[in-house]
């Protein structure tokens, strides 16, 4: 039961904490698409929560299209829509140029930052804050990159648009090796954390335009950091 035993109670509602925890496990790859969650009784026991709180959390996750409860099969982490998976599988490496992917990020990520400001639940805000607490520490490049991808995935989840979540997941897979360059040293990692903080502050305030602009500024900073390490970018 990887990941579930790391659940720690905090100060918001129990159901929001559960949602934040499961969304984070999905966003950081601990729970892969298609994963079947443990039965309700077992999961409530592992998380040390009531079954009523767990049911409330599952209702929110299902409403967000993060999971699907299937009669006779249990609760399943939803996969990306089939047409998005096909697009990833059929597109060759040569077609997925770094510039193309950077332009994709600049197109979709400011929009889901804006939508997150308008739609984020308490659980989403809590999950994002927890990731920022992690990235504020002295992390290795690999740890910082994982926190970066988790933050952006949680932000996409907060937009409550499953197609944008799927596109962001593709973007993450295409850019992971290159994104590592923008986490190459401690100064770069601090810059990434500052950018994320400004985005979350705007999202928390409910200011969609400010969240969009903060994301654009963050992506511009990432491009500068990447170019300094990878001139061909």
């Amino acid at each position: 039961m990887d990941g579930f035993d790391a659940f720690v109670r905090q100060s918001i509602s129990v159901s929001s904490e559960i949602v934040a925890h499961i969304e984070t496990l999905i966003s950081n790859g601990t729970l892969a698409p298609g994963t079947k969650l443990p039965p309700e009784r077992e999961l409530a026991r592992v998380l040390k929560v009531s079954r009523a709180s767990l049911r409330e959390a599952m209702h929110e996750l299902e409403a967000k299209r993060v999971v699907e409860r299937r009669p006779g099969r249990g609760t399943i982490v939803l996969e990306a829509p089939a047409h998005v998976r096909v697009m990833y599988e059929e597109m060759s490496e040569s077609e997925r140029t770094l510039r193309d992917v950077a332009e994709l990020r600049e197109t979709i990520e400011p929009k889901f930052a804006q939508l997150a400001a308008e739609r984020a639940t308490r659980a989403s805000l809590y999950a994002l804050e927890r990731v920022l607490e992690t990235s504020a520490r002295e992390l290795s490049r690999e740890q910082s990159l994982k926190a970066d991808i988790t933050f952006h995935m949680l932000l996409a989840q907060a937009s409550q648009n499953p197609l944008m979540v799927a596109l962001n997941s593709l973007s993450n897979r295409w850019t992971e090796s290159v994104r590592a360059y923008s986490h190459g040293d401690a100064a770069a990692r601090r810059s990434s954390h500052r950018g994320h903080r400004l985005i979350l502050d705007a999202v928390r305030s409910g200011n969609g335009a400010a969240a969009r602009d903060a994301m654009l500024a963050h992506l511009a900073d990432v491009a500068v950091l990447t170019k300094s390490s990878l001139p061909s970018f």
Side-chain angles (χ1 to χ4, degrees):
M1 234 178 300
D2 290 345
F4 290 113
D5 55 357
F7 181 67
V8 177
R9 291 294 322 283
Q10 297 291 331
S11 58
I12 63 173
S13 72
V14 177
S15 63
S16 292
E17 291 176 21
I18 298 168
V19 171
H21 186 64
I22 292 176
E23 284 187 331
T24 300
L25 293 179
I26 293 169
S27 296
N28 68 21
T30 302
L31 289 177
T35 300
K36 180 179 177 180
L37 299 186
E40 181 184 285
R41 184 186 300 275
E42 184 179 358
L43 187 53
R45 179 184 59 78
V46 172
L47 297 178
K48 297 181 176 64
V49 298
S50 70
R51 294 176 71 177
S53 294
L54 181 60
R55 289 191 197 104
E56 185 178 348
M58 289 301 161
H59 281 305
E60 179 174 336
L61 289 168
E62 191 170 32
K64 290 180 173 181
R65 302 293 296 157
V66 174
V67 302
E68 182 176 61
R69 289 184 286 182
R70 301 172 181 173
R73 292 188 58 194
T75 302
I76 310 293
V77 177
L78 284 176
E79 300 195 34
H83 61 282
V84 176
R85 297 198 304 274
V86 169
M87 182 176 72
Y88 176 80
E89 292 163 359
E90 292 186 349
M91 189 175 286
S92 70
E93 281 292 334
S94 62
E95 292 174 305
R96 301 196 296 261
T97 68
L98 303 180
R99 183 167 299 167
D100 288 345
V101 175
E103 289 173 354
L104 173 64
R105 292 191 71 191
E106 290 168 2
T107 301
I108 65 171
E109 296 202 36
K111 183 62 178 180
F112 67 61
Q114 176 186 340
L115 292 175
E118 298 167 359
R119 300 174 180 173
T121 64
R122 292 180 64 195
S124 295
L125 293 173
Y126 175 68
L128 286 161
E129 189 64 55
R130 291 288 300 274
V131 174
L132 280 190
E133 289 173 5
T134 297
S135 62
R137 304 169 190 156
E138 294 296 324
L139 303 179
S140 67
R141 180 166 73 170
E142 292 73 21
Q143 292 170 325
S144 181
L145 177 60
K146 182 177 181 179
D148 176 32
I149 290 175
T150 301
F151 179 87
H152 284 266
M153 279 300 299
L154 285 170
L155 197 64
Q157 293 280 9
S159 77
Q160 299 194 45
N161 183 319
L163 289 178
M164 285 194 172
V165 174
L167 283 174
N168 186 61
S169 180
L170 286 179
S171 175
N172 286 339
R173 291 164 70 182
W174 287 334
T175 61
E176 185 170 359
S177 60
V178 175
R179 288 168 86 154
Y181 288 100
S182 64
H183 295 263
D185 56 41
R189 295 191 280 274
R190 287 193 294 270
S191 176
S192 176
H193 174 78
R194 283 195 299 272
H196 289 174
R197 169 52 65 190
L198 291 172
I199 293 166
L200 181 53
D201 287 347
V203 168
R204 190 182 294 281
S205 73
N207 189 328
R212 179 195 63 220
D213 291 347
M215 177 62 80
L216 283 169
H218 172 58
L219 293 176
D221 289 342
V222 168
V224 169
L225 289 169
T226 304
K227 286 176 181 176
S228 67
S229 300
L230 191 65
S232 62
F233 179 73

